[in-house]
Amino acid sequence: MKLPLFFQRRFLPMWVTLSFGTFADNTLRQALLIGIPAGIIPVPLFSKPDDAIPVIGTLLPAAILIFSSVSGQLADKYETSMMFRRTKATELLLMLTAGAAFAFGWGGLAIAMLFAMGAQSAFFSPVRVSAMPKYLEVDELVRGNGLCNAGLFSFILLGYLVGGTLIVLPDGGTMVAAVLVSASCIGLVAALFAPHAAANAPGLKLSFNGFHQTWMMFSHVFNARGVAPPLFGSAIFYFLSTALTVAIPLYGRDALHATPIVWAALNGFFAIGAGLGAVTAASLSKRSSGLGASTTAILGAGVISIAIYFLTPYAAGTPEAPLTLGMLVSSSGGRILVAALVLNAALSGVYIAPLQAAMQRRAPREVRARIMAAGAFAYAAFAIPGSLSILAITRTGADPRLAFVGAGIAMLTVAGVMIYRRKTLPAGLYDEMLTARPHSSAI
């Protein structure tokens, strides 16, 4: 009896390496974000500990921007399972160092290791994303991306909970260190079981001229038919999701008048919704590219984002009587707001998986990893201004609910573009699944 795709060797090791690497990254990041302002982790390089927080928020995307031009070349040049093993072995070394930093209270080193993990992610991402068309059949890509995204969002949430909870406990630094090393060990063991898959371009001559290679990466994107629209459509997701994630504490404090635990719970609701959306995307029909569902999802997410602006007052507390988590989930207005937040994130999860599959499906094999590296570069490049866009609220004292209105308008605009493309370029956007299942390059 054939096992479901999730449990097959061509998928499960890849999923485990992604999920536990994501968990380790976010445990490290959240432990820093909670530990520094709480005074648990010293940061001698900053006169004010709070000044380290915005720096930490940019470290992961900044590292991806710096190293993507090289990482895509390596992923195209070398065999896939070997690259899995090497990137995960590097992760283990970095997490051993980060663990020592937490255990001994070396805050500067812990921050440096977060940047190093961003660099490691920059090398791992194009390997993993470009491996999927090797391991999976064409009609399995949407399902595979949905399952990967479900793991991604679930383990982001788990990392938030573990990193933020452990660091405030007695001997929390030591416990965080143990978790980081354990997660990396699991990822490395899983990588040992990844099937062999031939290199895309073994004769590729490596270049370390970052500016030139970044230009070349995006040249490949625009020269490959139909790749640029889903790539930039996915990048917009990262812009909006980052902006809303950063805005949530302000929204919880100034619009909901809620306690800090509610702020954390709101981001948790987003992660849960995104995971549910990714699972839904994984169940889409094999016979469809899923892009129709993607269009409908982003349209619905836009409407709900704007609706959150109007729903908020019915759930909010007051400065004199702040909204608690119990009050949020026990009142009808609070439950409706939570449902709207979860559904908004779920629809966003449905939106992105078909776009990722379209990129993988359409990218020419010989430059596929470099195109995926260009995608990682674009996601990071969009995430940074997504975070900085919230300065429009912090610097002006504007109502944080406006972040949802702005995101909703952007989502509706994206939906309009996709509908227009559906009517004018149906073959370019809604390509049909191949009826014949091509032989996979994974052995």
Side-chain angles (χ1 to χ4, degrees):
M1 180 178 178
K2 187 177 181 181
L3 290 172
L5 173 64
F6 181 82
F7 296 103
Q8 294 180 29
R9 186 183 169 196
R10 62 198 176 100
F11 182 80
L12 184 58
M14 177 174 60
W15 186 90
V16 171
T17 58
L18 168 68
S19 298
F20 279 86
T22 299
F23 171 67
D25 285 349
N26 286 278
T27 299
L28 170 58
R29 181 174 180 270
Q30 194 70 1
L32 286 171
L33 290 176
I34 299 298
I36 289 173
I40 298 168
I41 300 174
V43 279
L45 300 178
F46 295 87
S47 58
K48 294 181 179 179
D50 285 356
D51 291 343
I53 301 303
V55 174
I56 290 170
T58 62
L59 288 179
L60 288 173
I64 292 171
L65 287 177
I66 292 170
F67 294 104
S68 289
S69 63
V70 177
S71 64
Q73 296 179 75
L74 293 174
D76 269 333
K77 182 176 178 63
Y78 295 110
E79 190 272 323
T80 297
S81 64
M82 180 269 288
M83 289 296 295
F84 272 130
R85 293 190 298 272
R86 291 191 178 182
T87 54
K88 300 312 286 187
T90 301
E91 178 188 299
L92 178 57
L93 293 175
L94 295 176
M95 285 305 181
L96 284 167
T97 307
F102 276 105
F104 295 104
W106 300 332
L109 181 60
I111 293 173
M113 286 303 100
L114 182 63
F115 177 81
M117 279 305 300
Q120 186 273 343
S121 297
F123 285 92
F124 174 77
S125 179
V127 176
R128 196 273 303 178
V129 179
S130 65
M132 293 184 71
K134 300 179 183 181
Y135 292 149
L136 307 184
E137 304 293 353
V138 171
D139 58 6
E140 294 174 327
L141 285 174
V142 174
R143 188 167 26 138
N145 278 285
L147 291 170
C148 284
N149 288 343
L152 183 73
F153 295 126
S154 299
F155 279 78
I156 286 174
L157 175 59
L158 188 60
Y160 284 169
L161 294 175
V162 171
T165 301
L166 291 184
I167 195 63
V168 299
L169 298 177
D171 294 323
T174 301
M175 289 187 280
V176 168
V179 168
L180 295 177
V181 174
S182 298
S184 294
C185 286
I186 293 171
L188 177 58
V189 170
L192 299 177
F193 291 91
H196 180 278
N200 292 330
L204 178 67
K205 184 177 180 181
L206 297 178
S207 169
F208 297 95
N209 183 331
F211 292 105
H212 176 71
Q213 286 304 314
T214 300
W215 174 266
M216 291 300 298
M217 284 193 313
F218 283 96
S219 295
H220 295 315
V221 168
F222 288 107
N223 288 333
R225 181 179 180 271
V227 168
L231 186 151
F232 287 104
S234 299
I236 290 171
F237 167 86
Y238 283 88
F239 176 94
L240 296 175
S241 61
T242 302
L244 291 179
T245 300
V246 173
I248 280 294
L250 302 173
Y251 170 77
R253 185 188 67 192
D254 299 334
L256 277 181
H257 302 296
T259 61
I261 190 64
V262 175
W263 313 347
L266 295 176
N267 269 331
F269 293 141
F270 266 115
I272 291 169
L276 293 173
V279 172
T280 302
S283 66
L284 294 175
S285 172
K286 286 184 177 183
R287 295 186 296 273
S288 167
S289 67
L291 290 164
S294 180
T295 304
T296 303
I298 197 65
L299 179 64
V303 172
I304 293 172
S305 288
I306 295 173
I308 288 171
Y309 177 91
F310 298 100
L311 291 172
T312 299
Y314 296 99
T318 64
E320 296 77 22
L323 179 72
T324 65
L325 186 57
M327 294 165 60
L328 177 68
V329 299
S330 62
S331 69
S332 57
R335 289 194 294 268
I336 292 171
L337 179 64
V338 169
L341 292 169
V342 171
L343 184 56
N344 176 274
L347 290 171
S348 297
V350 173
Y351 161 74
I352 192 171
L355 296 181
Q356 293 170 327
M359 288 170 55
Q360 294 162 343
R361 189 170 60 245
R362 297 169 183 176
R365 175 186 173 87
E366 64 276 7
V367 295
R368 183 182 293 143
R370 278 166 283 174
I371 286 177
M372 299 308 139
F377 184 99
Y379 303 160
F382 275 61
I384 291 174
S387 179
L388 296 178
S389 69
I390 303 305
L391 288 173
I393 291 173
T394 60
R395 293 292 179 88
T396 64
D399 189 336
R401 291 183 295 162
L402 293 175
F404 287 96
V405 175
I409 293 172
M411 291 172 179
L412 294 177
T413 302
V414 171
V417 171
M418 295 182 76
I419 292 170
Y420 174 78
R421 283 180 57 80
R422 169 60 171 156
K423 291 185 175 183
T424 58
L425 298 169
L429 182 62
Y430 288 79
D431 44 341
E432 298 296 330
M433 297 294 93
L434 300 178
T435 55
R437 291 166 65 88
H439 177 69
S440 172
S441 62
I443 300 174

